[in-house]
Structures are given as C-alpha cells and as structure tokens.
Amino acid sequence: EIVLTQSPGTLSLSPGERVTLSCRASQSISKSYLAWYQQKPGQAPRLLVYGVSSRATGTPDRFSGSGSGTDFTLTISRLEPEDFAVYYCQQYGGSFTFGQGTKLEIK
Amino acid sequence: QVQLVQSGAEVRKPGASVTVSCRASGYTFTTYYVHWVRQAPGQGLEWLGRVDPSGGSIHYAQNFQGRVIMTRETSTTTVYMELSSLRSEDTAVYYCARERPDNCHFDYWGQGTLVTVSS
C-alpha cells in the first residue's frame, strides 16, 4: 500500500499570502492518479485537483497542482478567507489512500 | 444535479453491525462506481471499498475484508455498506463518494453518516 505523507501538518498564514502544500508518496504513483481535496468543518471533502494538475469543475484558478513520481504539491497563489481548511492528497495504486492532511489556519 | 444522500446517524454497541445507505440521483447510476470512505473524529480519511453498480463487482480494502459488505439496488439507485463486529475504533463519519470508472478520484460525496459505537 502506498503511504502518503503531507507536510506541514499545520500552517498559519494570512489572507493574500501564497502557500505550497507538499504530499510525498512512499513509492512512485503511476498514471498521474493523484488528487487533492479541501475539507471544511462539518462538511464532506470537496475535489479540487485530479490527475496531478487538472482543476475540478468550480475550482478557482488560484489553485494549482504539480509534481510527478513521489513528490507532489498544491499551490494556492493568493489565499482567500474561504481557503482556510484542511487539505488532503489521495492516490490510487491498486487501492486508495489519503495523506493525513494539512490544516491551513488564519494567522 | 448530482446528489448522494445518505441515511441518518446510528448508534450501536460493540459487536453489533450497522448498515448505511447512499441514494444516488442526477446521473446515470450504472455509469459510476460508488465508494465508501470513513473519517474518525479529528482524524484523516480511510477508504473502505467500492461497488460497481453496473455489474455489481466489488473491491474491498484489505483492512476491512471479512467485516464489510457492499451491495447495490439498481431499482432504487441505492448503495449499501454493512460493517459488522463493530468496535469503538469504528466510530466515524462514513461517506459515500462517486468515481467515474478508472479516473481514480472522487468527484461527488454524500453528506456523511455518523456511526457511534459505544457500550
């Protein structure tokens, strides 16, 4: 099973700042099966990015995904107040696994 | 619009079983897989398995083999997840989520069902 490790665990930032979240896999992820989700308290996760870098319908263009092999990132170019949430990466390599999440909190 | 509507919260004693339902609407039921993902309080996301509503094929996560059963009812566009031999660690919010076959990500999610296991 592929283990995903996200870093950092928590980030304290201000609106308007740029942020890059990291997701590292224990082995190479094939066929670009890497996605990112946003989750707010009391809500289900929401798909943001799939196939490493494709934005889901409704995802603002300030969100961008990149990476390959074992190292992936989600960048938010300019934080908006509604972006403060928990972010999870997810992969498929025979089974589905998620990272433990990165929490973005307002500084 | 696409909707996945889940059944309500459940409370069970250790050793018991629970069944959660997920009714799909707004799309052709048989053209998307339905998965189950859970989230323990304050924790991350854990995949339990998926069912193909078209042919009924099922793929369970290894951690839940022998303890979970997923079924579908095409006449009501509903998928069911039964988890047995419950223990306190199974206390979690259980989500159903949709996947277009072979896309390997989840584009729509249900609202979640809290299952509490307590004596």
Side-chain angles (χ1 to χ4, degrees):
Chain A
E1 179 178 279
I2 296 176
V3 175
L4 297 178
T5 302
Q6 293 187 242
S7 59
T10 303
L11 273 172
S12 297
L13 296 164
S14 300
E17 289 194 80
R18 178 187 178 91
V19 62
T20 297
L21 311 183
S22 173
C23 175
R24 177 163 289 177
S26 59
Q27 54 188 281
S28 184
I29 295 174
S30 62
K31 298 184 180 180
S32 301
Y33 289 149
L34 192 286
W36 291 90
Y37 300 84
Q38 176 193 69
Q39 188 178 34
K40 296 181 180 179
Q43 296 184 16
R46 169 197 167 199
L47 177 67
L48 290 176
V49 169
Y50 64 92
V52 176
S53 59
S54 297
R55 278 187 291 273
T57 302
T59 300
D61 61 8
R62 63 181 180 273
F63 290 88
S64 61
S66 64
S68 64
T70 61
D71 290 300
F72 302 88
T73 60
L74 177 71
T75 298
I76 310 173
S77 60
R78 185 178 172 84
L79 282 167
E80 297 288 340
E82 61 267 27
D83 298 338
F84 291 90
V86 180
Y87 292 82
Y88 294 96
C89 56
Q90 169 255 309
Q91 69 79 39
Y92 175 75
S95 68
F96 293 85
T97 58
F98 294 86
Q100 82 280 17
T102 290
K103 181 179 181 180
L104 287 187
E105 60 180 28
I106 298 178
K107 192 173 186 179
Chain B
Q1 72 283 20
V2 174
Q3 284 192 303
L4 299 172
V5 179
Q6 300 183 222
S7 49
E10 304 273 9
V11 179
R12 294 287 185 273
K13 294 190 182 304
S17 298
V18 69
T19 298
V20 180
S21 67
C22 171
R23 180 169 52 84
S25 62
Y27 70 97
T28 302
F29 179 62
T30 53
T31 58
Y32 287 81
Y33 296 155
V34 175
H35 295 250
W36 291 92
V37 176
R38 76 178 185 180
Q39 186 171 38
Q43 303 300 308
L45 300 162
E46 183 177 28
W47 179 71
L48 282 77
R50 70 107 169 114
V51 59
D52 174 2
S54 170
S57 69
I58 295 165
H59 181 193
Y60 298 137
Q62 194 165 2
N63 287 350
F64 296 94
Q65 291 269 6
R67 213 160 64 92
V68 69
I69 298 173
M70 297 177 187
T71 57
R72 96 291 190 209
E73 192 172 76
T74 53
S75 62
T76 59
T77 64
T78 302
V79 174
Y80 300 89
M81 187 279 301
E82 179 186 6
L83 189 62
S84 58
S85 303
L86 290 168
R87 35 208 187 231
S88 58
E89 310 90 88
D90 293 318
T91 294
V93 175
Y94 289 75
Y95 294 101
C96 59
R98 187 185 84 158
E99 176 211 353
R100 186 165 186 162
D102 299 330
N103 277 7
C104 300
H105 59 264
F106 312 120
D107 60 355
Y108 282 90
W109 294 65
Q111 84 276 19
T113 297
L114 176 61
V115 174
T116 302
V117 183
S118 174
S119 55

